[in-house]
Amino acid sequence: MILAHVHSGPDTGAGLAGLVTAAAALLAAVVYGAAASRLRRRGDAWPRRRDASFAAGSGSLAWVAVGSLPGGAFTAHMAQHLIVGMAAPLLFVLARPLTLALRALAPGTARRLLVALAHSRPAGWLVFPPLAALLDIGGLWLLYRSGLFAATQHHAWLHAVVHLHVLAAGLLFTFAVCQVDAVRRRWSLTVRGMTLLAAGAAHAVLAKALYAAGPPGTEVAAADLHTGAQVMYYGGDLVEVGLAVVLAASWYRTTGRVRAVRDRARARRRPWAAGVPAAPDARGGIPAPVGTACAAPARRESLAGQARQPEGVRWRPGR
């Protein structure tokens, strides 16, 4: 029987690992909720949709750790792969846990250490999108195209290590592509978008390769193998579409801010073009719009008219 990454099986070690995973996921949800409540109590805004996103990620991770998934062994494993390595990381990242931690922690040693870690050089390289994609997708190729997957069925410690890698690599890749939290360097949308396309293509090719032949050293029924490969292929596309939507929203917000800044700068340079009355100049007159030839003559005519009037008589333009 092919064991899933976090399913409890005949080996008691695997069952213990599933219970620990579920407990850690639920504990993380409780800590996140407490931090969000602390922000709201002191008057800071924190959208509740982020609470719901983190709770959904924690709940799905706990469910696949101790629950049972439909289908054959390989199909259930692939459904679990999608949740642990792709869907749950997306839900976690959209909740912005790093931003919440930085805002909830009081100024002190813990907060300074977290800021230093987030802005450190190693963290900056880890969230470099191509490197994060290599650690994520490359690990999947190593798992399914070598004897590693077969070995996880017989060694509980290896089963737990592979499970941890799938989750950590999925979180790292999703964080690197979305970059909704503060990081050392925010890579361009072009780099992140091209990385997402390349990773999606490599994931799809791996799914097709599994459809043709199962992992080395395993025996999987043809129907189970084909269904599992299809779950990996189409389910992966669905999660990648979600990542693309996040990138598109980021691009929309960025271009909107840039356009607003450009419009304000243009309005300051050309106040009359923006419909904003200009302030009087140092001589008390209103400057004419830029580019008009009548500004200087009008000023000289005004001064000449004032000089011709007798003392005590107020001169008005147009008389």
Side-chain angles (χ1 to χ4, degrees):
M1 178 180 179
I2 298 179
L3 301 181
H5 283 296
V6 291
H7 265 306
S8 45
D11 191 343
T12 57
L16 179 61
L19 293 175
V20 171
T21 302
L26 296 178
L27 179 61
V30 172
V31 172
Y32 184 97
S37 298
R38 180 179 181 181
L39 286 186
R40 296 188 183 100
R41 283 196 304 268
R42 73 185 189 192
D44 293 344
W46 188 257
R48 294 191 179 275
R49 66 176 180 273
R50 296 178 185 172
D51 298 42
S53 180
F54 197 92
S58 299
S60 62
L61 191 60
W63 172 53
V64 298
V66 297
S68 59
L69 296 174
F74 193 74
T75 301
H77 163 77
M78 278 304 168
Q80 191 178 60
H81 151 74
L82 287 174
I83 295 174
V84 174
M86 301 185 73
L90 179 58
L91 293 171
F92 285 141
V93 169
L94 290 179
R96 301 191 180 186
L98 179 58
T99 300
L100 176 63
L102 292 175
R103 292 181 61 183
L105 287 174
T109 304
R111 192 177 188 278
R112 286 195 299 269
L113 289 176
L114 184 58
V115 171
L117 178 62
H119 294 168
S120 64
R121 189 177 298 274
W125 280 110
L126 283 176
V127 296
F128 177 51
L131 179 59
L134 179 62
L135 293 174
D136 186 22
I137 307 301
L140 293 178
W141 274 87
L142 179 63
L143 175 63
Y144 294 120
R145 295 290 87 189
S146 70
L148 181 59
F149 184 72
T152 60
Q153 303 178 59
H154 309 292
H155 302 283
W157 65 270
L158 186 58
H159 179 277
V161 169
V162 169
H163 160 56
L164 181 62
H165 171 80
V166 169
L167 177 61
L171 283 170
L172 184 63
F173 174 71
T174 307
F175 187 90
V177 170
C178 295
Q179 290 194 0
V180 294
D181 277 315
V183 291
R184 176 184 175 89
R185 176 178 177 180
R186 188 174 297 276
W187 297 93
S188 67
L189 287 170
T190 302
V191 172
R192 290 182 281 154
M194 295 301 294
T195 301
L196 178 60
L197 288 176
H203 191 267
V205 170
L206 178 58
K208 292 183 177 181
L210 287 173
Y211 188 91
T218 61
E219 295 182 1
V220 186
D224 190 16
L225 178 65
H226 294 167
T227 304
Q230 289 174 343
V231 168
M232 181 181 183
Y233 185 88
Y234 295 108
D237 285 350
L238 184 61
V239 177
E240 287 154 9
V241 167
L243 289 171
V245 169
V246 174
L247 281 180
S250 176
W251 170 82
Y252 182 80
R253 290 192 299 268
T254 301
T255 54
R257 286 193 295 265
V258 171
R259 184 174 303 171
V261 171
R262 187 186 299 118
D263 291 344
R264 287 195 295 268
R266 187 181 296 113
R268 285 194 297 268
R269 289 194 301 268
R270 301 186 60 184
W272 286 90
V276 179
D281 59 11
R283 297 172 296 181
I286 301 298
V290 177
T292 58
C294 62
R299 179 65 180 173
R300 288 195 296 268
E301 181 182 352
S302 175
L303 294 176
Q306 292 180 14
R308 289 195 297 268
Q309 299 300 318
E311 185 177 358
V313 178
R314 182 179 181 182
W315 178 82
R316 295 180 180 177
R319 279 191 166 188

